[in-house]
Amino acid sequence: MLVRLADPAAREAGLAAALAALAAGRLVGMPTETVYGLAADATDGRAVAGIYAAKGRPSFNPLIAHVEDFAAAERHGVFGPAARRLAEAFWPGPLTLVVPRRDGSPISDLATAGLGSVGLRVPGNAAARELIRRFGRPLAAPSANRSGRISPTTASDVVAELGDRVAVVLDDGPTPVGVESTIVSCLDDGPRLLRPGGVTRAAIEALVGPVDGPEGSAGEAEADRPVAPGQLLSHYAPRARVRLDVDHVEPGEAFLDFAAAAVPGAEAAACRLDLSPAGDLAEAAANLFADLRRLDASGAATIAVAPIPAEGLGEAIRDRLSRAAAPR
Ligand code: TXA
Ligand code: MG
């Protein structure tokens, strides 16, 4: 069942159907501001097992629990001063905080992969928060793609990836941020960046000072030692091979441009998209996964990608692209 939340006549019945599905332990395609999530009751181990099965995801890789606000987050995790400052600044929004798990939290051990920590986030999408508030329990939600594939930024991507596995998909239009949340761990050793994402490193560091990480970035050969357990080297992978930071385009390659760069050979590309002709990294992040899907669908054997600056949101974009390009 695909529900268009923008349609006032469909919205309430759609939310009610989603709540009933969650209560029955089933899976719901949930909009967030970053990417669409595959949501289930985080306190129901069988429902959570359904997420791992649908995605084909290894169960050592914990899930983010989505909560309605900071007060709800504090029922599941223990927030020190740095974590509290980050939550206050960026929630609701594209930041996940990994904090010590609070004793007595009903979140399933399967969702946290048995770790002593829990990843929590208050999503920036109002319909997602309404769903969570009305459900009354946290929702475990990874990105709604098959494990290792390109993350979904539209409801139709969710249907294409997992349509046979979800009871309801809530369509709230294309996701505005377009890359997943930034993950910061705030455990004993101070804040560490586990995954670059929709909140920039500079914005985090402005509040809590310099943060280390991520380790095992796709540039290094550390696939066997991921820090966020999901940060495996090959991820976000289209069918086509991906070539990064190209200084020319080979005939027949698909070309993913940025800022209308004058890359030799671009005229001969089989297919060409520009993440942001104006060179705006926020626009590029919002277009990244949809453009990768479109170029992949062109059937070209290789996607050549123009250089993208590493600052600001460019860090998250380059992280996703380098995993898309990693050997599989
Ligand atoms: O923007 C997002 O974060 C999206 C939307 C749907 O909220 N979700 C998302 O989930 O990207 P997923 O499962 O694709 O990525 C979650 C990452 C994984 O790399 C996982 O290993 C890490 O978060 N993670 C979750 N809990 C953790 C924990 N306790 N310690 C370390 N890493 C954790
Ligand atoms: Mg994912």
Side-chain angles (χ1 to χ4, degrees), residues 239-244 246 249-256 270-271 295-296 298-305:
R239 183 198 43 76
R241 208 167 70 84
V242 177
R243 217 159 59 77
L244 298 182
V246 301
V249 180
E250 302 273 357
E253 284 185 329
F255 179 44
L256 185 58
C271 178
L295 293 180
D296 205 24
S298 77
T302 303
I303 300 172
V305 185

Side-chain angles (χ1 to χ4, degrees), residues 253-268:
E253 284 185 329
F255 179 44
L256 185 58
D257 202 355
F258 174 74
V263 175
E267 333 71 55

Side-chain angles (χ1 to χ4, degrees), residues 15 55 70 82 115 142 148 152 170 172 225 249 254 285:
L15 286 171
K55 282 186 60 104
F70 182 68
L115 299 173
L170 299 175
D172 205 16
R225 202 164 64 79
V249 180

Side-chain angles (χ1 to χ4, degrees), residues 34 57 61-62 64 66 117 121 142-143 180-181 183 195 229-230:
T34 58
R57 174 173 172 129
N61 185 6
I64 297 168
H66 295 69
S117 60
R121 129 168 161 88
S143 51
E180 292 84 349
S181 60
I183 306 180
R195 176 176 76 180

Side-chain angles (χ1 to χ4, degrees), residues 140-166:
S143 51
N145 50 280
R146 305 253 171 190
S147 192
R149 311 295 302 188
I150 302 173
S151 302
T153 53
T154 67
S156 54
D157 294 341
V158 179
V159 172
E161 288 280 332
L162 291 161
D164 53 337
R165 303 296 194 122
V166 287

Side-chain angles (χ1 to χ4, degrees), residues 33-261:
E33 79 282 33
T34 58
V35 301
Y36 276 77
L38 180 66
D41 181 351
T43 69
D44 176 348
R46 284 188 49 189
V48 172
I51 293 178
Y52 287 98
K55 282 186 60 104
R57 174 173 172 129
S59 60
F60 60 76
N61 185 6
L63 303 173
I64 297 168
H66 295 69
V67 292
E68 64 182 280
D69 57 20
F70 182 68
E74 278 200 294
R75 292 199 283 278
H76 304 287
V78 179
F79 287 74
R84 183 176 300 267
R85 207 171 311 142
L86 292 169
E88 277 167 5
F90 297 114
W91 282 354
L95 176 70
T96 294
L97 291 167
V98 171
V99 295
R101 189 180 164 160
R102 187 177 291 286
D103 284 344
S105 162
I107 292 175
S108 146
D109 283 337
L110 192 54
T112 59
L115 299 173
S117 60
V118 60
L120 292 160
R121 129 168 161 88
V122 179
N125 179 285
R129 290 197 305 279
E130 180 179 347
L131 187 73
I132 297 161
R133 184 176 66 249
R134 288 171 60 177
F135 189 56
R137 293 197 279 276
L139 295 180
S143 51
N145 50 280
R146 305 253 171 190
S147 192
R149 311 295 302 188
I150 302 173
S151 302
T153 53
T154 67
S156 54
D157 294 341
V158 179
V159 172
E161 288 280 332
L162 291 161
D164 53 337
R165 303 296 194 122
V166 287
V168 180
V169 179
L170 299 175
D171 180 358
D172 205 16
T175 57
V177 175
V179 292
E180 292 84 349
S181 60
T182 300
I183 306 180
V184 176
S185 72
C186 296
L187 303 172
D188 316 333
D189 51 347
R192 299 184 67 80
L193 185 64
L194 302 189
R195 176 176 76 180
V199 176
T200 64
R201 180 193 294 271
I204 305 277
E205 292 186 337
L207 283 180
V208 296
V211 292
D212 286 339
E215 272 126 26
S217 69
E220 308 157 32
E222 295 195 67
D224 54 333
R225 202 164 64 79
V227 175
Q231 292 305 91
L232 300 173
L233 204 50
S234 173
H235 207 128
Y236 313 103
R239 183 198 43 76
R241 208 167 70 84
V242 177
R243 217 159 59 77
L244 298 182
D245 293 321
V246 301
D247 56 10
H248 71 285
V249 180
E250 302 273 357
E253 284 185 329
F255 179 44
L256 185 58
D257 202 355
F258 174 74

